[in-house]
């Protein structure tokens, strides 16, 4: 069983959803993002999403754009991102890691070589924002043979008919983009989320995580209660950005404040009761 | 001469035609183009594709478009024999396709008119667009004024600064112009921001792409709307010279004016098609916008095409004196035409474009856009080497009034 499937199975047995925090690789430098990554599981991260910085993140809001820019300034490359994961894997064999980013750097690296190297580094799944199933043939075979899940995004605009098509290309879990918009902007209501989850569950048995617009512990608990997991990204990156000095360098506040926020989110998710769905 | 109705159709009749593309996935030559966007946008693109196919098959849509092209845009644009420039260069017989005479001063309105009519058919009321030099932004703001629609134009902050007259024009026309400070503040960044707006406002908003790039169906749709340039050129050259032209030269940023004049000639192998990219400070200077000549295939803004990028797949900033060519990518159909060798892609530098700007102004009394000046520069380079009976067409894609400040600065003149 993959790490992703094992983790969702364990959490289902515990009767709660997953907290999935996000960090941007190399934000603001390799060492800080590695230290943050290593400390996340103890702070309550059940799965972790790691952003691969890209120069033109056209689906992301200002917070992730700035984080990506800091990462690139610190010298992020895909090879560097994989080094980060490999370092993390030396001490943690259980927490699933999902890489999230855009297709072009992966193309430059080479689709097959990237899948092999990512799997070897300990990556469990890939989310490529600008690779819809219509274009995914280039990556599906190499990902499958490397044992990587391709996590599919579904959106409020995805029709029931299209949902079936998209989910026929999904593995690992399903990422529900809960708003029509860019990351870190609006927030969906609990009613909207419940209605969406009914639709998605009718089309798949895979676990479902909700992302985009989840900022507070209450929102995370609601989302993780309705679905099987909640992704929190921009809210954490904002906190991280607030702790940087005027040159954009990490300070002694950077790790403690981000980790404290993750602990708060985790406590709320763990206290929240899983609704039958 | 062909039946005029057929002239306006982009349908190709030959089985082995180069004009059939793209395929159903939006791929040219099985490799370029496509639909590389977030899932939120996919259903919108599928809806747009369907709406465009329906409109394309509806004679009423073509009739409406022809009415606006004739009485509002001012088509057909003349094919002008450039006698003095021909004499000065002493070689090929030079013709100019006068797209700068269209309302708003460029070829951009051809496409914008087609898409705004489509947006109306789709019931959209708010238009967002990206712009580089501001020509597409002005064209879009113009039709939004004409049809009473809300208009938001994203423009790189650098471009807002170097294209002030067009920014003022857009605001006069009632558009909201949003300066984009991300990246180098040029067309690439404006495109990112327009896509972000669209994804956040899908219910009422139509994304009016200005060039033959972006996700399918934009490259094919924009090409179809711009193909009126090539259709007319074919007809007018037939009337004036009784035959096809031998060489067609057009400037390439995203490549819409070039695609528009090339496409109707793709199946005429005797016609040499030359796309002139902005070489900036020189093809190997590191400050260039020549995506085909100095880039490699990759994925940006919804399509696979030649891109200026580093070894890690991060997109490089482009450079050109001309804001309209300052883009690190190019339309995917051009990438394909380059690979199969049907069109040639070359570069003209900032300095060569400035010289051509002066040459055209001095010999023909036509002040060309700096974008078009790149095409003139390459035409001026090859014309003296060609026999006098060679018919060479330059696409004058826009007029240069917007560029006089930039040109004055380079000539050391204070206005």
């Amino acid at each position: 069983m993959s790490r992703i499937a094992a983790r969702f199975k364990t959490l289902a047995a515990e009767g709660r959803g997953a907290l999935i925090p996000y960090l941007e690789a190399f934000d603001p430098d390799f060492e800080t993002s590695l230290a943050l990554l290593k400390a996340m599981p103890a702070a309550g991260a059940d799965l972790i999403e790691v952003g691969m910085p890209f120069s033109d993140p056209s689906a992301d809001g200002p917070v992730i754009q700035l984080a990506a820019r800091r990462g690139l300034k610190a010298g992020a490359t895909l090879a560097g991102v994989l080094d980060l994961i490999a370092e993390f894997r030396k001490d943690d064999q259980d927490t699933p890691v999902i890489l999230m980013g855009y297709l072009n750097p992966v193309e430059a690296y080479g689709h097959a070589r990237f899948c092999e190297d990512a799997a070897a580094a300990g990556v469990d799944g890939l989310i490529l924002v600008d690779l819809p199933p219509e274009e995914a043939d280039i990556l599906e075979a190499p990902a499958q043979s490397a044992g990587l899940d391709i996590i599919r995004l579904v959106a409020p605009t995805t029709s029931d008919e299209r949902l079936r098509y998209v989910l026929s290309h999904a593995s690992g879990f399903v990422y529900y983009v809960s708003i029509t918009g860019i990351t870190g902007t609006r927030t969906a209501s609990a009613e909207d989320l419940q209605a969406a989850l009914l639709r998605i569950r009718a089309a798949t048995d895979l676990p479902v995580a909700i992302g985009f617009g989840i900022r507070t512990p209450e929102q995370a608990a609601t989302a993780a209660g309705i679905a099987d997991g909640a992704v929190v990204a921009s809210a954490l990156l904002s906190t991280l950005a607030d702790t940087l000095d005027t040159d954009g360098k990490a300070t002694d506040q950077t790790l403690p404040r981000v980790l404290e926020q993750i602990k708060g989110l985790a406590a709320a998710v763990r206290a929240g009761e899983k609704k039958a769905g | 001469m062909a039946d005029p109705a057929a002239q306006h159709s982009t349908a190709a009749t030959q089985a082995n035609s180069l004009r059939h593309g793209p395929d159903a996935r939006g791929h040219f030559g099985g490799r370029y183009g496509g639909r590389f966007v977030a899932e939120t946008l996919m259903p919108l693109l599928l809806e747009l594709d369907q709406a465009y196919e329906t409109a394309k098959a509806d004679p009423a849509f073509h009739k409406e478009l022809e009415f606006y092209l004739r009485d509002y845009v001012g088509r057909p644009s003349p094919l002008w024999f450039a006698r003095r420039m021909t004499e000065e260069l002493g070689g090929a017989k030079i013709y100019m396709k006068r797209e700068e005479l269209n309302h708003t001063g460029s070829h951009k309105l051809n496409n914008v008119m087609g898409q705004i009519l489509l947006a109306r058919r789709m019931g959209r009321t708010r238009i967002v667009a990206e712009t580089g030099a501001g020509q597409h932004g002005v064209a879009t703001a113009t039709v939004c004024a004409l049809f009473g629609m809300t208009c938001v134009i994203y423009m790189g902050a650098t471009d807002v600064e170097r294209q002030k007259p067009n920014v003022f024009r857009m605001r006069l026309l009632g558009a909201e112009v949003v300066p984009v400070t991300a990246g180098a503040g040029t067309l690439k960044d404006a495109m990112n921001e327009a896509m972000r707006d669209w994804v956040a406002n899908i219910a009422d908003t139509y994304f009016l792409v200005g060039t033959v790039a972006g996700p399918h169906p934009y490259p094919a749709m924009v090409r179809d709307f711009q193909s009126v340039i090539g259709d007319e050129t074919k007809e007018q050259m037939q009337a004036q010279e009784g035959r096809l032209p031998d060489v067609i030269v057009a400037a390439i940023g995203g490549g819409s004016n070039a695609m528009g004049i090339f496409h109707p000639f793709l199946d005429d192998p005797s016609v040499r098609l030359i796309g002139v990219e902005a070489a900036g400070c020189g093809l190997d200077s590191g400050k260039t916008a020549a995506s085909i000549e100095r880039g490699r295939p990759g994925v940006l803004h919804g399509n696979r095409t030649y891109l200026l990028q580093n070894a890690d797949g991060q997109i490089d900033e482009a450079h050109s004196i001309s804001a309209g060519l300052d883009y690190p990518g190019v339309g995917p159909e051009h990438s394909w035409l380059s690979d199969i060798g049907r069109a040639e892609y070359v570069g003209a530098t900032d300095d060569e474009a400035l010289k051509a700007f002066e040459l055209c102004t001095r010999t023909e009394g036509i002040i060309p856009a700096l974008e078009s000046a790149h095409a003139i520069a390459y035409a001026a380079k090859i014309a003296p080497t060609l026999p006098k009976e060679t018919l060479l067409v330059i696409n004058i894609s826009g007029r240069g009034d917007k560029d006089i400040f930039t040109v004055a600065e380079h000539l050391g003149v204070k206005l």
Side-chain angles (χ1 to χ4, degrees):
Chain A
M1 188 183 287
S2 74
R3 275 188 208 104
I4 293 175
R7 179 53 53 100
F8 277 110
K9 198 175 168 208
T10 308
L11 295 177
E14 289 175 25
R16 69 173 179 92
L19 175 67
I20 312 177
Y22 177 105
L23 70 88
E24 191 79 15
F26 285 69
D27 175 22
D29 59 73
F30 179 89
E31 292 304 327
T32 305
S33 61
L34 178 60
L36 185 55
L37 183 57
K38 283 183 166 178
M40 273 186 172
D46 297 306
L47 296 83
I48 302 172
E49 258 182 46
V50 177
M52 303 181 277
F54 181 48
S55 54
D56 293 80
S58 57
D60 284 302
V63 173
I64 296 187
Q65 289 175 46
L66 287 174
R69 211 187 302 175
R70 289 193 297 268
L72 289 173
K73 206 175 153 201
T77 60
L78 279 203
V81 175
L82 297 185
D83 288 344
L84 186 78
I85 309 303
E87 279 299 315
F88 169 78
R89 272 284 169 253
K90 286 180 180 166
D91 313 317
D92 187 319
Q93 289 302 315
D94 303 319
T95 309
V97 172
I98 294 105
L99 293 184
M100 184 159 185
Y102 293 78
L103 180 60
N104 198 55
V106 172
E107 292 225 351
Y109 196 102
H111 302 118
R113 192 166 73 92
F114 179 73
C115 289
E116 288 159 21
D117 291 358
V123 173
D124 301 291
L126 300 176
I127 302 176
L128 292 172
V129 179
D130 55 351
L131 186 71
E134 280 84 351
E135 301 286 356
D137 50 351
I138 48 172
L139 205 73
E140 281 174 344
Q144 196 176 12
S145 61
L148 289 178
D149 285 322
I150 293 191
I151 287 124
R152 283 270 144 234
L153 302 174
V154 299
T157 50
T158 312
S159 68
D160 288 346
E161 188 194 349
R162 182 167 171 79
L163 204 52
R164 282 192 295 278
Y165 167 68
V166 171
L167 294 177
S168 72
H169 289 259
S171 60
F173 64 95
V174 178
Y175 189 124
Y176 178 59
V177 175
S178 63
I179 51 155
T180 55
I182 49 178
T183 49
T185 51
R186 306 167 187 169
T187 302
S189 71
E191 295 73 39
D192 286 348
L193 294 180
Q194 263 152 355
L197 261 290
L198 275 178
R199 265 189 347 117
I200 298 168
R201 297 235 196 257
T204 184
D205 295 328
L206 289 172
V208 182
I210 298 175
F212 282 48
I214 300 177
R215 307 190 64 83
T216 66
E218 294 70 30
Q219 289 164 349
T222 302
I226 293 169
D228 305 299
V231 180
V232 182
S234 295
L236 294 171
L237 297 180
S238 295
T239 300
L240 183 144
D242 286 346
T243 67
L244 303 179
D245 68 18
T246 46
D247 297 326
K249 300 264 186 283
T251 62
D252 58 1
Q253 285 300 300
T254 303
L255 284 181
R257 283 199 39 208
V258 177
L259 291 170
E260 180 192 356
Q261 193 177 0
I262 293 173
K263 280 178 196 159
L265 291 161
V269 165
R270 281 158 205 243
E273 195 163 311
K274 184 98 181 76
K275 294 178 184 64
Chain B
M1 182 179 299
D3 159 20
Q7 294 269 334
H8 289 279
S9 148
T10 55
T13 46
Q14 290 167 245
N16 58 350
S17 172
L18 296 177
R19 302 182 62 201
H20 285 313
D23 64 18
R25 289 171 67 183
H27 289 191
F28 295 94
R31 175 158 198 210
Y32 298 105
R35 270 185 290 236
F36 295 90
V37 296
E39 174 59 26
T40 316
L41 290 180
M42 272 308 290
L44 300 177
L45 289 173
L46 296 170
E47 183 200 358
L48 177 63
D49 194 17
Q50 205 143 56
Y52 177 55
E53 288 303 318
T54 307
K56 207 161 68 169
D58 181 357
F61 179 75
H62 291 281
K63 210 175 153 207
E64 190 184 19
L65 180 56
E66 275 166 26
F67 163 74
Y68 284 106
L69 287 179
R70 187 189 64 230
D71 287 359
Y72 191 76
V73 180
R75 302 208 69 88
S77 71
L79 183 67
W80 169 251
F81 169 46
R83 186 183 306 276
R84 291 198 64 225
M85 192 188 283
T86 299
E87 282 166 6
E88 175 146 338
L89 295 171
K93 193 170 181 184
I94 295 172
Y95 280 87
M96 293 176 169
K97 181 60 174 163
R98 302 284 308 276
E99 289 300 302
E100 98 283 4
L101 289 178
N102 294 330
H103 180 41
T104 75
S106 82
H107 71 293
K108 292 293 185 187
L109 201 55
N110 303 328
N111 161 52
V112 163
M113 193 53 86
Q115 286 197 60
I116 198 84
L117 295 179
L118 183 62
R120 277 159 58 84
R121 282 170 76 102
M122 295 174 74
R124 300 295 198 270
T125 55
R126 180 175 177 272
I127 303 294
V128 296
E130 82 296 345
T131 196
Q135 294 301 87
H136 175 56
V138 167
T140 302
T142 297
V143 295
C144 287
L146 176 65
F147 292 112
M149 290 161 95
T150 306
C151 182
V152 180
I153 303 292
Y154 289 93
M155 187 169 186
T158 306
D159 291 340
V160 167
E161 194 49 43
R162 62 178 163 174
Q163 299 290 341
K164 279 180 191 153
N166 272 345
V167 174
F168 184 57
R169 258 179 218 123
M170 286 185 269
R171 290 185 171 144
L172 281 175
L173 288 160
E176 180 190 351
V177 180
V178 183
V180 179
T181 52
T186 60
L187 182 53
K188 159 174 100 91
D189 312 296
M191 187 85 171
N192 288 330
E193 212 52 38
M195 288 177 82
R196 293 183 185 116
D197 180 308
W198 190 29
V199 77
N201 297 288
I202 53 172
D204 62 349
T205 296
Y206 182 95
F207 180 23
L208 209 162
V209 174
T211 192
V212 288
H216 179 67
Y218 286 106
M221 179 168 66
V222 176
R223 171 203 70 200
D224 292 349
F225 289 137
Q226 291 293 2
S227 288
V228 65
I229 306 173
D231 286 333
E232 284 178 8
T233 302
K234 210 172 204 180
E235 204 173 330
Q236 291 164 326
M237 191 57 96
Q238 190 67 36
Q240 294 184 48
E241 296 278 358
R243 65 181 183 91
L244 291 169
D246 300 300
V247 186
I248 295 176
V249 185
I252 308 240
S256 70
N257 88 81
M259 209 58 241
I261 197 166
F262 287 179
H263 196 255
F265 293 97
L266 289 183
D267 290 334
D268 300 303
S270 69
V271 183
R272 245 181 104 186
L273 306 173
I274 304 175
V276 185
E277 297 190 297
C281 301
L283 284 175
D284 297 311
S285 65
K287 292 186 77 179
T288 179
S291 320
I292 292 182
E293 292 152 283
R294 287 297 176 271
R296 54 199 168 78
V299 172
L300 180 71
H301 295 153
N303 66 120
R304 182 177 287 112
T305 192
Y306 279 88
L307 298 173
L308 297 173
Q309 55 179 317
N310 72 14
D312 296 310
Q314 306 294 342
I315 309 303
D316 287 334
E317 301 293 348
H319 167 81
S320 169
I321 189 174
S322 149
L325 304 181
D326 205 344
Y327 181 68
V330 63
E333 195 165 8
H334 286 297
S335 294
W336 172 61
L337 291 174
S338 175
D339 277 11
I340 64 171
R342 176 61 190 95
E344 304 159 47
Y345 294 86
V346 298
T349 63
D350 291 352
D351 289 343
E352 288 167 336
L354 281 165
K355 285 198 189 81
F357 179 95
E358 292 182 86
L359 169 73
C360 184
T361 304
R362 181 169 54 75
T363 59
E364 294 299 325
I366 295 170
I367 301 178
L370 275 175
E371 289 78 21
S372 320
H374 287 74
I376 300 166
Y378 194 75
K381 196 182 278 185
I382 62 170
T385 70
L386 298 168
K388 286 190 187 308
E389 58 275 15
T390 302
L391 303 178
L392 186 155
V393 179
I394 307 171
N395 198 13
I396 307 296
S397 55
R399 68 173 182 231
D401 308 53
K402 69 184 173 61
D403 293 315
I404 55 169
F405 303 99
T406 307
V407 173
E409 196 184 310
H410 281 268
L411 297 178
V413 177
K414 209 163 171 80
L415 291 184

